[in-house]
Amino acid sequence: MSGGLSEPRRLLDDIGLSLVFLTRLRLPSSDFGGRSLAEAIWAAPFAGLAIAVIGALVYAIVGALGLAAGPAAALALAATMLVTGCLHEDGLSDIADGLGGGRTREKKLEIMRDSRIGAYGAAALGISLLIRWSALSELAGPGHIFLALLAAHAASRGLFGAFMHLLPPARSDGLSADAGSVTAETAVVGAALGAVALLALGLGGAIAAVILLGLLFAAFRALCLSQIGGQTGDTIGALQQLGEIAVLLVASACLS
């Protein structure tokens, strides 16, 4: 590979930057070779791997203590949200409020920047939590929980680079605009890593998840272009949530 993806030091810098940006995990170094988020976004699936490990560990520990599958799944889900600081849940609620409550492009973007949550955002969060919890609670044992979380969190974050590459920023400022431009190579590497993680669901599950994610990606891309003219940090967060839900639904069918 060429450029920034060819040197081991830069690979580690990109993984570290992705971990620090997409989770609340902290590393000794905070420089990461001066790499930008756009350059490092290919490594987002590695952040998904870390999140999956933490969620599965929580499930295994509370399960070993005798907790039933339902409450154990709820605590595993809570752990994944805690380690990310609800970063993507915030994006989902903002998108739901903006697209649901705004009549014009400008009004939608204005609502998305409002820190208050409305009825659309609350409903979207409630549905997201319910679907993810119900899918996880159907799985038997920490092994299947880990496989499902790995596939869902890595693959959903593997979409980030492609989304940022294919859609222009909807604003001239903000997180997405500040991140910089994502190259086609970076987008492909991130998507490929996410696709590899889907093999945790088995070959049939991986194929089903790729098809479902592809359809979801295309539909959400078209929605963002028609409604706000591009992508923002909130749209990327919402895409992760939708992707995570899609993969967990496939996991519930393949692993339960």
Side-chain angles (χ1 to χ4, degrees), residues 77-78 81 86 89 92 122-135 241 245:
L77 178 58
M81 294 170 64
C86 293
E89 283 81 3
L92 177 65
L125 282 179
I127 293 171
S128 171
L129 290 169
L130 179 61
I131 296 175
R132 288 185 287 161
W133 169 79
S134 61
Q241 290 283 280
I245 288 170

Side-chain angles (χ1 to χ4, degrees), residues 1-7 11 42 185 189:
M1 286 182 289
S2 63
L5 299 184
S6 62
E7 300 177 17
L11 296 179
W42 68 268
E185 179 190 28
V189 172

Side-chain angles (χ1 to χ4, degrees), residues 103-112 227-228:
R103 292 185 177 273
T104 65
R105 174 183 180 273
E106 291 71 23
K107 187 60 177 179
K108 294 176 195 294
L109 290 171
E110 179 185 341
I111 293 174
M112 286 163 56
Q227 295 293 306
I228 58 174

Side-chain angles (χ1 to χ4, degrees), residues 5-79:
L5 299 184
S6 62
E7 300 177 17
R9 175 65 188 183
R10 289 190 178 181
L11 296 179
L12 293 175
D13 284 337
D14 287 355
I15 293 171
L17 177 56
S18 293
L19 281 170
V20 168
F21 185 83
L22 296 174
T23 75
R24 288 192 167 182
L25 300 175
R26 291 295 172 260
L27 300 176
S29 173
S30 59
D31 177 51
F32 306 116
R35 301 287 283 171
S36 70
L37 181 61
E39 293 171 319
I41 201 65
W42 68 268
F46 286 99
L49 169 61
I51 295 163
V53 168
I54 291 170
L57 278 175
V58 169
Y59 184 94
I61 291 170
V62 298
L65 295 175
L67 209 60
L75 289 175
L77 178 58

